[in-house]
Amino acid sequence: MAEPPAILDLPLGRRLFIMAAVVLASTLYATTLLVASTLLPQMQGSFAATADEIAWTTTFNILATAIVTPTTGFLVARYGRRRVMLGSVALFTLATYLCGQAESLEAIVAWRILQGGAGAPVVPLANAMVLDSFPRRRAGLVSSIFGMTVVLGPVIGPALGGVLAEMYNWRWAFYMIVPAGIVAWVGLRFALPPDRPAARTPLDWLGFLSLSVAIASLQLVLSRGQRLDWYESPEIVIETCVAGLAFWVFLAHSLTARQPFLDLRLLLDRNYALGLALVFLYGMVNFTPTVLLPSLLQQHAGYPDSIIGMITGYRGIGGTIGFGATLLIGRWDPRIGMSIGFGILVVQGVWLTQLDLNTGVDVLLANAVLQGVGVGVVWVPLTVMTFSGLENRQLAEAMSLFHLLRNIGSSLFISLSVTEILRSTTMNYSRMTEMISPYNEVLGVPAVMGGWTLDTLAGLSRLGREIERQAAMIGYVNAFGMYTTACVVAIGLGLLGRKARR
């Protein structure tokens, strides 16, 4: 019996069909990553849950994604790419429908866990399939097409989901994904070639369980640390210790086992090792402005939801421009392309640190476009450099770790940024309110006080609110400064890579 053909051996039309189907599937999964954040207030009221309880719908979804993502290489070796992809998309689509049907908090949490776990292999496996569909000399072009899912999916989800939730209810934000999921499954069913005969690959249970415990504990620390005051909470201390111990067990076992769960020998490839560090930084800067700016604009600058959604959407326009630019930049040395992309993000980050509460919409739209251009330009050279030295058979396992670190980077930096905002807001509010006193002679000068007054409770309340707004703005500026620093570090790190082989 003849072996089924590899993707690269198929006709061009079928390979384009495969790429369209896997890109659609990965876009749908990326769309759900942040969509729940838009729906939390409505879901909280629907289930009569507390803020901490409804947050589990996001926390457990991230946990399931983080635990299952590293298993992609094992699943592909055991069952084949076609079976894993079809099974993941089918389960993901079913779980998304069930999320919309949920009638209790326990049900929505359970279906969000299934949604995250079922969809976790889709993105790394789709990325590997896209690279396999065309010769390596076309890696820049196909990576730019696939990379749009990484940037545009998390933009489309909250924007479109928020509109549907406002017009109908939060359930329709999940229902909108189901028809497209069915189309993606049908396309994959007819496009993907049959799997090659699979070898009987054993699962390294110790490696899998130790890595799963380490990732789960780390994600709990990142998700709950800010609400529990970090290491003032015994829970966070315990989870950190468990994460450290489990990760040590994973490393010790992986370096001594004959067939480890993840082959750490991949890290001997210099570009791949640097690529993991860079994609961690890329994850840190990819979603941070998208997550931080809406709360700043809504709570402190008084912007309506429609304008905030438009600002978020303009980032997608910038991403499209950035990926279009990679058609030219992709021909250059990837180190140059990454330097240009992260350089654009540095400029955008410095611009963010200059914002204030009176900033106009046109400035925010231009800044969102610039950020989209930067992340779009970075993705293609980063992918090309990272996987330039690996063989096709290693791509599934290498991609799973690549996307895992991208997700962890996002979770870590968003948690750190929110912590810095809260810390700076509290500290600066305390310092500024110390100056509000009838014994401060400067406040008695009319030219200094302007329209503010200390004579009435209403006047003091308005002044206190303004001080809170300004203190929060300082916190956001500090977070944007951290964002800019991470981009600068990424430029220096990217220059250490070797020139990618064509």
Side-chain angles (χ1 to χ4, degrees):
M1 180 177 178
E3 284 193 350
I7 293 180
L8 195 57
D9 298 330
L10 298 174
L12 177 62
R14 188 169 178 184
R15 285 186 281 141
L16 291 174
F17 189 17
I18 291 173
M19 184 168 68
V22 298
V23 166
L24 175 59
S26 57
T27 302
L28 293 176
Y29 179 70
T31 299
T32 63
L33 289 177
L34 296 178
V35 69
S37 61
T38 307
L39 310 176
L40 287 182
Q42 278 198 26
M43 293 168 63
Q44 181 179 349
S46 179
F47 297 125
T50 65
D52 196 57
E53 289 173 340
I54 202 64
W56 286 112
T57 60
T58 300
T59 301
F60 278 112
N61 180 269
I62 295 173
L63 276 176
T65 300
I67 291 172
V68 178
T69 297
T71 67
T72 303
F74 164 77
L75 292 173
V76 169
R78 186 72 175 267
Y79 301 107
R81 289 184 173 186
R82 186 174 188 270
R83 293 189 185 94
V84 173
M85 196 67 171
L86 289 175
S88 293
V89 173
L91 275 177
F92 167 77
T93 304
L94 175 62
T96 302
Y97 172 75
L98 293 173
C99 285
Q101 288 286 301
E103 297 293 341
S104 66
L105 179 63
E106 294 79 8
I108 187 66
V109 170
W111 300 135
R112 285 283 286 169
I113 292 173
L114 179 61
Q115 185 188 53
V122 170
V123 175
L125 191 51
N127 201 345
M129 286 182 175
V130 167
L131 287 178
D132 275 357
S133 299
F134 295 88
R136 285 299 180 93
R137 65 179 182 274
R138 302 294 185 190
L141 174 62
V142 297
S143 294
S144 66
I145 296 173
F146 176 80
M148 294 181 70
T149 69
V150 177
V151 175
L152 298 184
V155 174
I156 295 172
L160 186 56
V163 171
L164 289 174
E166 187 173 339
M167 292 177 59
Y168 304 103
N169 59 52
W170 61 268
R171 300 179 188 276
W172 284 94
F174 291 107
Y175 291 152
M176 71 175 182
I177 298 172
V178 175
I182 295 173
V183 170
W185 187 89
V186 172
L188 291 168
R189 171 68 176 77
F190 289 102
L192 292 177
D195 292 315
R196 297 179 184 274
R200 190 68 179 176
T201 305
L203 177 62
D204 176 18
W205 283 103
L206 180 58
F208 168 68
L209 292 176
S210 58
L211 181 61
S212 299
V213 170
I215 293 173
S217 300
L218 176 61
Q219 287 290 351
L220 285 173
V221 169
L222 298 178
S223 300
R224 294 176 56 77
Q226 180 263 322
R227 289 194 294 273
L228 299 179
D229 198 18
W230 293 100
Y231 291 101
E232 297 298 322
S233 167
E235 177 187 330
I236 300 302
V237 173
I238 293 172
E239 289 166 352
T240 302
C241 294
V242 170
L245 179 60
F247 187 65
W248 178 83
V249 171
F250 168 74
L251 283 179
H253 175 72
S254 298
L255 292 173
T256 56
R258 289 184 177 180
Q259 290 183 312
F261 176 65
L262 287 181
D263 188 0
L264 298 184
R265 288 174 296 182
L266 292 172
L267 299 177
L268 297 177
D269 184 283
R270 178 174 171 178
N271 279 359
Y272 181 67
L274 279 173
L276 293 181
L278 284 167
V279 81
F280 183 78
L281 291 170
Y282 179 84
M284 290 171 63
V285 302
N286 189 13
F287 297 136
T288 301
T290 307
V291 174
L292 298 185
L293 277 176
S295 61
L296 170 64
L297 298 178
Q298 184 182 54
Q299 298 175 16
H300 304 292
Y303 277 82
D305 292 340
S306 58
I307 298 297
I308 296 174
M310 183 173 64
I311 293 170
T312 303
Y314 267 61
R315 180 181 182 269
I317 296 175
T320 305
I321 296 172
F323 285 114
T326 57
L327 297 178
L328 171 63
I329 297 175
R331 302 174 183 176
W332 303 346
D333 187 328
R335 294 171 296 184
I336 298 176
M338 284 190 294
S339 298
I340 293 174
F342 280 118
I344 292 173
L345 293 177
V346 169
V347 174
Q348 183 255 344
V350 172
W351 193 359
L352 282 175
T353 62
Q354 307 302 311
L355 299 182
D356 57 45
L357 294 173
N358 299 313
T359 300
V361 176
D362 53 343
V363 173
L364 294 170
L365 292 176
N367 187 273
V369 170
L370 189 62
Q371 204 249 345
V373 171
V375 296
V377 169
V378 166
W379 179 257
V380 174
L382 172 58
T383 306
V384 171
M385 187 199 78
T386 302
F387 301 101
S388 61
L390 301 182
E391 300 176 13
N392 284 4
R393 62 181 178 82
Q394 299 172 308
L395 284 181
E397 182 175 2
M399 282 289 181
S400 65
L401 189 56
F402 183 74
H403 287 284
L404 171 66
L405 287 176
R406 177 175 62 87
N407 292 333
I408 291 178
S410 297
S411 299
L412 172 63
F413 201 67
I414 289 171
S415 297
L416 293 177
S417 298
V418 171
T419 300
E420 173 59 24
I421 290 170
L422 294 176
R423 186 195 67 83
S424 294
T425 300
T426 302
M427 183 177 65
N428 287 288
Y429 183 83
S430 298
R431 289 179 177 177
M432 287 190 280
T433 52
E434 290 175 357
M435 312 309 267
I436 307 301
S437 167
Y439 302 105
N440 187 344
E441 297 179 357
V442 177
L443 300 182
V445 180
V448 173
M449 290 298 292
W452 303 106
T453 177
L454 304 179
D455 299 333
T456 63
L457 288 176
L460 284 172
S461 176
R462 288 194 298 271
L463 185 57
R465 171 60 182 155
E466 181 61 24
I467 292 174
E468 181 184 356
R469 292 173 68 234
Q470 298 301 331
M473 188 69 233
I474 295 173
Y476 280 96
V477 168
N478 290 345
F480 295 144
M482 294 164 53
Y483 167 89
T484 307
T485 302
C487 296
V488 172
V489 172
I491 293 176
L493 197 59
L495 295 175
L496 298 177
R498 289 194 178 102
K499 185 175 181 180
R501 297 196 302 269
R502 294 290 179 183

